[in-house]
Amino acid sequence: MKKLSRRTFGKLSLGVAMSVVVGGTELRFLRPAHAAVATPAIDSTAAWGAAAAKEPINVLNQKPIGIVVHHTTNPNTNDFTRNKAWQVARQIQQSHFNRGWIDTGQQFTISRGGWIMEGRHQSLSILQGGTKHVQGAHVDGHNETHIGIECEGLYMNVTPSLPLWNKLVALIAYICQQYGLTANAIVGHRDLDSTSCPGDTLYSLLPQLRTAVDTTLSGGAVGRMWPILRRNTPATGLAKTMQYLLRARGATITADGAFGPGTETAVKSFQTANGLTSDGVVGAATWEKLIMTLRSGDTGEAVKALQNQLTVQNYPTTIDGSFGTGVNTLVRAFQTNRQLTVDGVVGLNSWNHLAM
Ligand SMILES: [Zn+2]
């Protein structure tokens, strides 16, 4: 689609739906597709205190054709602050210098707290320009054509944090918009190279990432992100949490983290009983019916679900089904770190952040 100049746009009366013909192509308003995606906040190399690159950055006079998702394999910190994000960015640059590289390898980094940062120098201004590509050093054989995004953390068995996920969607949608790409441009590092990067769990979320990016690009509203669990999902802490919630709803399955036929049958029964599509797949609609609001004094299987998921999130606690003062302290610490209302009550928002 041709872009309208700002001057042309200024002459039009915005506020009513309309269409005009430009160069034989009818364009519909109010939201031109090229402006659907908001520009996310990105901290520049200057902001996080990057050292100068060792050699001039190579800027190629072509648009990138793909976007590679990585994980840094740093420990999954619960320090979600901007200072921590900047510290990680400096640490990554130093480790890449130590490999003999001229600068940070990837173009962008997103911290667990959801802070987007420029990686290699010039990546931010070149992205804003939308016509060129900063050659990085993040994926053998594809550095001249692909933008790399490093997600802080290790995602073999756990999902990235919700703030990281939401910014990953926002950044990639913006990149797609700038270069005229679709969500099909998203790949995991392992698609192009022999590596476990970006981790089994993050890799398994790439279809959901593509869907969320496509929705954003078309101006739609992206719903709350919940990881999808289905039969034969590799055994994870999150699957065990889901099984405890099913037990709280009366299912007689074992909470062992293995999503087998028994768990699938229990999911289908729960879905039928709650007016949901009975497909045995635990997605957003099922999660939001399955969770239960919990507070101090509560007991039982749902509390075990909470205790298990707190443990998954590195707030370890005994799984005894009793919401006492210890659990209350952990919940409040979790809510503080995630910038949620700190009330010790585990409702929809807290569950959503716990599940991611
Ligand atoms: Zn990688």
Side-chain angles (χ1 to χ4, degrees):
M1 177 197 263
K2 260 189 169 176
K3 289 187 182 181
L4 288 178
S5 73
R6 182 176 296 278
R7 208 165 139 262
T8 309
F9 224 101
K11 288 179 185 166
L12 300 171
S13 160
L14 298 176
V16 288
M18 65 180 82
S19 68
V20 295
V21 176
V22 177
T25 309
E26 188 186 51
L27 302 177
R28 291 189 179 278
F29 295 93
L30 289 172
R31 297 202 75 153
H34 67 265
V37 180
T39 308
I42 302 174
D43 288 343
S44 67
T45 44
W48 56 262
K54 303 288 189 191
E55 291 175 23
I57 301 298
N58 191 21
V59 178
L60 302 171
N61 195 23
Q62 63 191 28
K63 297 179 183 183
I65 61 171
I67 301 162
V68 185
V69 176
H70 302 267
H71 66 168
T72 64
T73 72
N74 290 46
N76 289 333
T77 179
N78 279 312
D79 185 343
F80 278 29
T81 63
R82 197 176 207 167
N83 277 341
K84 173 66 178 179
W86 289 359
Q87 181 197 325
V88 167
R90 291 191 293 265
Q91 173 197 46
I92 290 172
Q93 188 190 32
Q94 197 55 54
S95 73
H96 289 181
F97 281 153
N98 293 345
R99 294 188 194 185
W101 299 352
I102 64 165
D103 196 0
T104 299
Q106 74 277 6
Q107 285 82 356
F108 296 98
T109 311
I110 309 178
S111 76
R112 283 178 52 78
W115 300 99
I116 308 177
M117 295 167 287
E118 182 180 33
R120 180 157 291 204
H121 284 85
Q122 297 187 44
S123 297
L124 178 52
S125 61
I126 294 298
L127 171 62
Q128 287 165 340
T131 59
K132 298 179 180 179
H133 173 58
V134 167
Q135 182 172 347
H138 61 94
V139 52
D140 278 349
H142 301 274
N143 285 308
E144 294 186 356
T145 50
H146 285 62
I147 287 192
I149 302 173
E150 284 282 358
C151 299
E152 181 198 0
L154 176 64
Y155 300 113
M156 289 303 287
N157 301 306
V158 294
T159 61
S161 67
L162 192 56
L164 193 164
W165 175 268
N166 288 339
K167 293 300 177 66
L168 185 60
V169 173
L171 175 61
I172 293 181
Y174 179 64
I175 293 171
C176 287
Q177 172 180 272
Q178 289 303 92
Y179 293 118
L181 300 170
T182 70
N184 291 331
I186 301 168
V187 295
H189 190 181
R190 65 175 63 177
D191 290 323
L192 302 175
D193 211 344
S194 175
T195 173
S196 60
C197 183
D200 291 347
T201 302
L202 177 50
Y203 187 74
S204 76
L205 297 177
L206 293 188
Q208 283 179 270
L209 182 61
R210 292 188 188 99
T211 300
V213 166
D214 271 336
T215 302
T216 306
L217 283 170
S218 62
V222 179
R224 279 189 200 85
M225 169 64 188
W226 292 90
I228 294 171
L229 299 178
R230 49 164 57 87
R231 187 168 170 182
N232 296 331
T233 296
T236 61
L238 182 64
K240 190 173 181 179
T241 296
M242 189 273 293
Q243 289 171 321
Y244 277 125
L245 288 169
L246 280 171
R247 286 174 57 82
R249 301 290 186 176
T252 53
I253 56 170
T254 305
D256 57 6
F259 198 137
T263 298
E264 185 179 53
T265 301
V267 170
K268 286 181 177 174
S269 301
F270 175 78
Q271 288 171 325
T272 301
N274 286 274
L276 300 164
T277 305
S278 179
D279 58 5
V281 179
V282 182
T286 302
W287 274 115
E288 293 185 11
K289 292 273 189 188
L290 203 47
I291 58 171
M292 299 164 100
T293 299
L294 299 169
R295 49 174 58 80
S296 266
D298 285 342
T299 58
E301 297 298 305
V303 175
K304 288 183 186 175
L306 169 63
Q307 291 170 322
N308 187 65
Q309 200 55 29
L310 281 167
T311 303
V312 168
Q313 292 284 3
N314 290 328
Y315 293 80
T317 181
T318 308
I319 298 167
D320 61 5
S322 175
F323 196 139
T325 53
V327 174
N328 187 46
T329 300
L330 290 178
V331 167
R332 286 171 181 271
F334 180 82
Q335 290 173 328
T336 301
N337 276 337
R338 299 305 199 264
Q339 296 184 304
L340 301 166
T341 304
V342 183
D343 56 6
V345 178
V346 184
L348 177 61
N349 278 334
S350 291
W351 270 116
N352 192 199
H353 280 260
L354 278 163
M356 281 297 290

